[in-house]
Amino acid sequence: MKLLLAALATLFAFAADATPLAADMQRSLGLRQAWMGLTRDVAWPARWDPDGSFHYRKTVEGGFRFQRVDPVTGNGGPAFDHARLAAAVGAVTGQSYPALQLPFDAYEVEQDEGAVHARLWVGETGLRCNLVQYRCTRIAAPAQRPRGFGMVRDLRVAADNHPRRSPDGRWEAQADGHDIVLRDVASGQVRRLTRDGDAGNFYDPESIAWSPDSRRLAFYRVRPGTQRLVTRIETSPAGGGQPQLQQQLYPKPGDAVDIERPYLAEAPTGRLTMVDDALFANPYQLSPLRWRADARAVAFDHIRRGHQHVGLVEIAASNGHARELVAEDSTTFVDAWRPYSVEIDDGQQVLWLSERDGWRHLYLYDGTTGKLLRQLTHGQWVVREVLKVDPQRREVWFSASGMDAGRDPYYRHAFRVSLEGGEPVRLTHADADHDVSPSPDGQWYVDLYSRVDQPPVMQLHRADGTRVRTLEQGNIDALRAAGWRAPETFVAKGRDGRTDIWGVVVRPRDYDPGKRYPVVENIYAGPHDSFVPKGFWPFGYHSGGDKQIGMQALADLGFIVVQIDGMGTANRSKAFHDVAWKNLGDSGFPDRIAWHRALARRDPSYDISRVGIYGASAGGQSTLGALLFHPDFYRAGVAWNGCYDNRMDKISWNEQWMGWPVDESYARASGVENAYRLQGQLLLIVGEQDSNVDPASTMQVVDALVRAGKDFDLLNIPGGGHTVGRSTGPIDYAHRRQFDFFIRHLQQRQTPAWNGGDVD
């Protein structure tokens, strides 16, 4: 990376001599580095430690520091010796790190035998670091073998067949070929629990779960689904040499998934019980098996193929009888991307997240009878996340948004509500987005709140809401002095003329209201979340922070850059979200275009005769869709690593929103099928080693565009992955190409001759 930056600096220095525009572009490409270090006391959300203290990350002179605070005494200070930990991490990774530029932004604390350890990740390397002796050792990454092939998987991760020992230490269970065997630890005697396993119907050792009393074990029998492989050619391996073949297990929409069926076995006798699967027939995915603490039953969650039904199933240990305790149905989709159940008191009660009344709310069920006890929250607002369930105090902490008329409906606030019913107790009040971290003992919470125009404030509160102290208040004076200007929030009516659509506006730092500026939209239409930033975002404070810095960098070149949440995204009503159902090609464009037009009516500098758009992944699909389906509005687009045809992308994402079986809605949204419609200017950027979205998705668009006789630009980056040009790989080069593209096509200006020589 240092060599890359040095080379780019040389290139830009040459170009800067040739044209002022090159110097402007160099300044934009270096914006993040220029602004880094210009904030103080900007904090990240708190994490609670086993000893009752909490820690958090904050900006300081020279970089970042981790702080630790004892809520009782108020004492605080550095969480550890940063220089010693930097050296310990470097000893394992082989890299050198400044004390205040540690290569991770979060860690978890473990305590055992008087020692304190931090578990952290440096890239893909897991480390466990002793914070007394300052020694780090590598830890293995968890095996990425999700149930039902719900996600893509690295073929190099082998099945884990280590012996699973019973809680009393008497037995060990594991696979022998395609069957499960049980070994008596004391005698070494082995008994076969199953005998009929084969490659087409095997017993999965990774699914083995022992009952707490060691009398029984549960496991799945698996009928494998389609073993679809995505094959990629690594044309330019690191270090040079011949191209290499890369393969990945990557199921796609319509593929047969693994069909799992639970079995129970008695350890002393070997008696095997096959569980009737009528309640969860046609499964998309079953969760890992989990035993009740009293060993009375084993439970799991299931998602039916098509994502229109999810349920909680419990199997009686005594006879293997299965019953569905709680279920959720939808004529469109159940948003299974979010956890929808929390079991309380060993499953005696179940907290259930449901959108059955049109808004996402909390419901409480009797876990023994499956009877609905009460709806805990009501109203035209949404529960965002269950933060904590306190069985002793009989209450649940949660975040929610949309309950305050006249305020941004996406701002999260924290509440507490009794499991016995009653009105929720509000814990946060400032007109801002709140990230709240309750303590495990329920005595405290840390509230971190901010807005796009307000740096974070971190406060410690008692559980009753009393503020104890302000821990941090972000200082951005130096950032403001360097020219930072806050994004503006703008709201307008959507396609129906009634629903508010929210977005942010980023203007050039030298903005002149007397000029006319072309507009560029940064798009990500989900639909699994909402995406317009709500908290303070420079330097990745919230996820996507680097992308927001990119918005400012582009704006500084003479654009107004915006981001909008149209219909089809999450965190509003069920009806708002349902617009995405079998309709990913919509991408909320009718709402986005209405929003643009409303802003243009108010702001003469906002030139909607020149609108560009860019996005990555699902945003890449939307970017292409803008030029295919709305060419009268969008003139130019840069699409990064897009999933342009939902039949080509991963099964988990696409069947969730587009449904199953695969039908004509997939073709209707396809950028391949509709490539002939292309108008305007298009730049496709793809990393040839993208393991998230099959790179063939891009190349099939290229093929269709060529066959349709369309002109376009293509940047294929050898070795690049899904985030190429955004967080990994030749970031400055790819962004410079995007800057060039929009300057040429929306400003009609000639960009520098980066290779030297005269411009044609």
Side-chain angles (χ1 to χ4, degrees):
M1 179 57 75
K2 290 181 179 178
L3 290 175
L4 174 63
L5 292 175
L8 286 169
T10 302
L11 174 63
F12 292 148
F14 167 81
D17 292 337
T19 168
L21 179 56
D24 292 340
M25 294 176 73
Q26 180 180 0
R27 203 159 32 245
S28 281
L29 290 168
L31 183 63
R32 190 181 194 280
Q33 285 299 115
W35 279 1
M36 180 66 73
L38 296 183
T39 67
R40 298 289 182 272
D41 305 322
V42 170
W44 274 251
R47 292 174 174 242
W48 289 87
D49 299 334
D51 65 356
S53 66
F54 61 89
H55 70 268
Y56 59 92
R57 187 181 186 231
K58 61 179 282 190
T59 58
V60 295
E61 185 174 358
F64 305 90
R65 187 172 69 219
F66 289 92
Q67 294 286 108
R68 176 187 172 277
V69 175
D70 183 327
V72 177
T73 65
N75 295 332
F80 44 75
D81 187 318
H82 286 63
R84 292 185 69 187
L85 185 57
V89 171
V92 177
T93 63
Q95 302 291 322
S96 177
Y97 307 107
L100 296 180
Q101 295 180 27
L102 292 168
F104 56 90
D105 57 15
Y107 66 92
E108 295 181 3
V109 172
E110 296 179 345
Q111 288 182 309
D112 56 83
E113 299 177 356
V116 179
H117 295 84
R119 289 175 66 93
L120 54 93
W121 291 87
V122 179
E124 296 184 358
T125 302
L127 299 177
R128 188 171 188 262
C129 300
N130 187 303
L131 296 183
V132 177
Q133 300 173 335
Y134 288 93
R135 288 198 300 266
C136 297
T137 57
R138 292 179 184 266
I139 55 177
Q144 298 299 310
R145 295 173 58 84
R147 312 231 57 79
F149 292 119
M151 295 287 285
V152 298
R153 177 159 65 84
D154 189 334
L155 285 176
R156 294 169 296 181
V157 180
D160 181 2
N161 190 31
H162 76 270
R164 269 70 174 182
R165 182 166 289 196
S166 61
D168 63 5
R170 180 180 176 185
W171 311 96
E172 285 184 343
Q174 65 184 122
D176 179 17
H178 301 298
D179 287 297
I180 300 294
V181 298
L182 189 66
R183 186 176 76 90
D184 186 306
V185 173
S187 68
Q189 182 179 358
V190 175
R191 176 194 298 126
R192 301 190 71 82
L193 294 178
T194 69
R195 298 179 180 275
D196 57 348
D198 56 41
N201 227 334
F202 65 89
Y203 294 91
D204 181 9
E206 292 187 334
S207 68
I208 294 172
W210 278 99
S211 64
D213 62 5
S214 301
R215 291 184 57 197
R216 296 179 175 88
L217 63 159
F219 46 83
Y220 284 127
R221 188 175 187 176
V222 182
R223 186 174 78 234
T226 302
Q227 305 294 292
R228 182 182 294 279
L229 297 179
V230 164
T231 301
R232 303 186 301 272
I233 302 295
E234 189 173 3
T235 60
S236 308
Q242 297 299 317
Q244 297 178 7
L245 191 70
Q246 304 291 347
Q247 287 189 314
Q248 178 184 12
L249 186 64
Y250 191 107
K252 296 187 177 184
D255 286 351
V257 298
D258 286 6
I259 301 297
E260 299 161 313
R261 186 171 195 167
Y263 281 71
L264 298 181
E266 294 181 359
T269 66
R271 179 173 172 266
L272 189 67
T273 301
M274 178 178 67
V275 178
D276 185 352
D277 62 356
L279 287 173
F280 43 94
N282 190 27
Y284 167 72
Q285 189 176 72
L286 306 186
S287 74
L289 297 159
R290 56 187 184 270
W291 281 92
R292 301 305 189 196
D294 63 4
R296 72 182 186 277
V298 64
F300 63 91
D301 307 298
H302 76 100
I303 303 172
R304 186 176 297 165
R305 193 79 185 267
H307 290 79
Q308 293 180 306
H309 178 95
V310 299
L312 169 62
V313 174
E314 187 177 83
I315 304 167
S318 59
N319 58 15
H321 175 70
R323 59 190 182 123
E324 189 172 56
L325 296 176
V326 191
E328 187 77 7
D329 291 282
S330 174
T331 57
T332 56
F333 56 81
V334 178
D335 189 355
W337 280 70
R338 301 172 187 276
Y340 46 85
S341 68
V342 179
E343 294 172 86
I344 304 169
D345 290 338
D346 195 28
Q348 297 295 323
Q349 291 188 329
V350 178
L351 186 66
W352 193 259
L353 200 60
S354 170
E355 293 182 288
R356 66 191 60 175
D357 70 355
W359 303 83
R360 191 185 311 126
H361 282 296
L362 294 171
Y363 296 76
L364 187 68
Y365 281 83
D366 185 316
T368 60
T369 66
K371 178 183 177 182
L372 174 63
L373 297 176
R374 61 192 64 90
Q375 184 175 349
L376 297 177
T377 61
H378 309 256
Q380 294 187 3
W381 48 272
V382 296
V383 172
R384 296 287 292 272
E385 182 183 2
V386 174
L387 301 174
K388 173 186 174 59
V389 175
D390 191 330
Q392 285 72 43
R393 292 181 176 84
R394 299 286 298 157
E395 60 187 19
V396 55
W397 300 49
F398 63 94
S399 64
S401 59
M403 71 296 294
D404 297 322
R407 288 186 175 183
D408 190 319
Y410 295 93
Y411 283 165
R412 295 169 298 164
H413 284 272
F415 296 83
R416 214 176 52 240
V417 67
S418 171
L419 294 173
E420 307 306 324
E423 288 300 311
V425 176
R426 190 176 190 126
L427 300 173
T428 58
H429 300 276
D431 184 13
D433 185 60
H434 294 256
D435 198 320
V436 170
S437 306
S439 64
D441 64 6
Q443 297 289 326
W444 314 86
Y445 63 95
V446 179
D447 178 19
L448 181 68
Y449 64 88
S450 70
R451 298 192 306 250
V452 293
D453 61 348
Q454 175 185 304
V457 175
M458 176 179 272
Q459 296 176 335
L460 175 66
H461 294 253
R462 291 190 177 89
D464 62 5
T466 304
R467 187 178 69 189
V468 178
R469 64 180 63 87
T470 297
L471 300 162
E472 304 290 352
Q473 189 147 0
N475 184 324
I476 59 170
D477 291 345
L479 185 64
R480 288 195 179 100
W484 177 81
R485 58 182 295 157
E488 304 164 21
T489 296
F490 182 69
V491 59
K493 299 302 179 184
R495 69 185 76 183
D496 59 4
R498 300 186 308 274
T499 304
D500 285 341
I501 302 297
W502 291 72
V504 295
V505 183
V506 178
R507 301 181 187 273
R509 285 181 287 163
D510 62 355
Y511 171 72
D512 180 351
K515 293 183 178 179
R516 293 273 285 171
Y517 293 89
V519 175
V520 179
E521 180 179 345
N522 172 12
I523 189 168
Y524 195 88
H528 63 278
D529 208 340
S530 52
F531 304 96
V532 172
K534 298 300 171 183
F536 189 74
W537 48 251
F539 325 125
Y541 165 67
H542 285 311
S543 62
D546 282 346
K547 298 175 188 175
Q548 310 309 326
I549 290 292
M551 290 173 66
Q552 185 66 65
L554 179 58
D556 285 349
L557 294 172
F559 300 92
I560 297 177
V561 186
V562 302
Q563 190 169 11
I564 309 160
D565 279 323
M567 291 186 188
T569 52
N571 301 320
R572 299 284 287 275
S573 68
K574 175 65 171 165
F576 190 101
H577 201 186
D578 275 351
V579 170
W581 174 240
K582 291 185 174 293
N583 191 31
L584 290 185
D586 178 274
S587 295
F589 280 123
D591 311 300
R592 297 169 187 278
I593 293 171
W595 187 96
H596 282 290
R597 294 191 189 283
L599 183 52
R601 286 193 295 270
R602 194 193 74 170
D603 181 357
S605 72
Y606 197 78
D607 185 358
I608 58 168
S609 70
R610 296 180 290 163
V611 180
I613 187 168
Y614 71 93
S617 194
Q621 178 183 15
S622 296
T623 296
L624 177 61
L627 301 181
L628 301 181
F629 305 121
H630 302 278
D632 55 332
F633 189 81
Y634 293 97
R635 307 298 186 189
V638 180
W640 304 66
N641 290 77
C643 40
Y644 302 110
D645 189 310
N646 300 105
R647 296 165 295 191
M648 284 291 294
D649 193 30
K650 67 193 78 64
I651 190 173
S652 57
W653 169 270
N654 296 278
E655 286 195 9
Q656 164 74 77
W657 312 115
M658 295 292 286
W660 175 89
V662 173
D663 59 17
E664 73 284 351
S665 65
Y666 282 77
R668 197 165 55 241
S670 168
V672 177
E673 301 276 353
N674 291 284
Y676 70 92
R677 300 176 182 272
L678 179 67
Q679 296 183 46
Q681 306 301 319
L682 171 66
L683 168 59
L684 297 167
I685 300 176
V686 63
E688 69 167 11
Q689 292 303 308
D690 188 343
S691 61
N692 186 309
V693 173
D694 186 350
S697 184
T698 296
M699 300 314 296
Q700 289 184 5
V701 170
V702 169
D703 178 61
L705 291 172
V706 170
R707 286 188 284 105
K710 298 294 183 177
D711 289 344
F712 61 97
D713 294 319
L714 171 66
L715 174 58
N716 188 347
I717 299 180
H722 190 59
T723 57
V724 67
R726 293 179 285 142
S727 62
T728 61
I731 300 173
D732 287 346
Y733 178 78
H735 278 165
R736 193 261 288 168
R737 290 289 300 272
Q738 176 168 291
F739 293 168
D740 270 31
F741 185 84
F742 285 132
I743 289 170
R744 283 188 285 110
H745 294 299
L746 296 180
Q747 296 179 349
Q748 289 75 49
R749 299 169 67 192
Q750 183 61 58
T751 53
W754 297 103
N755 295 341
D758 295 331
V759 177
D760 292 336

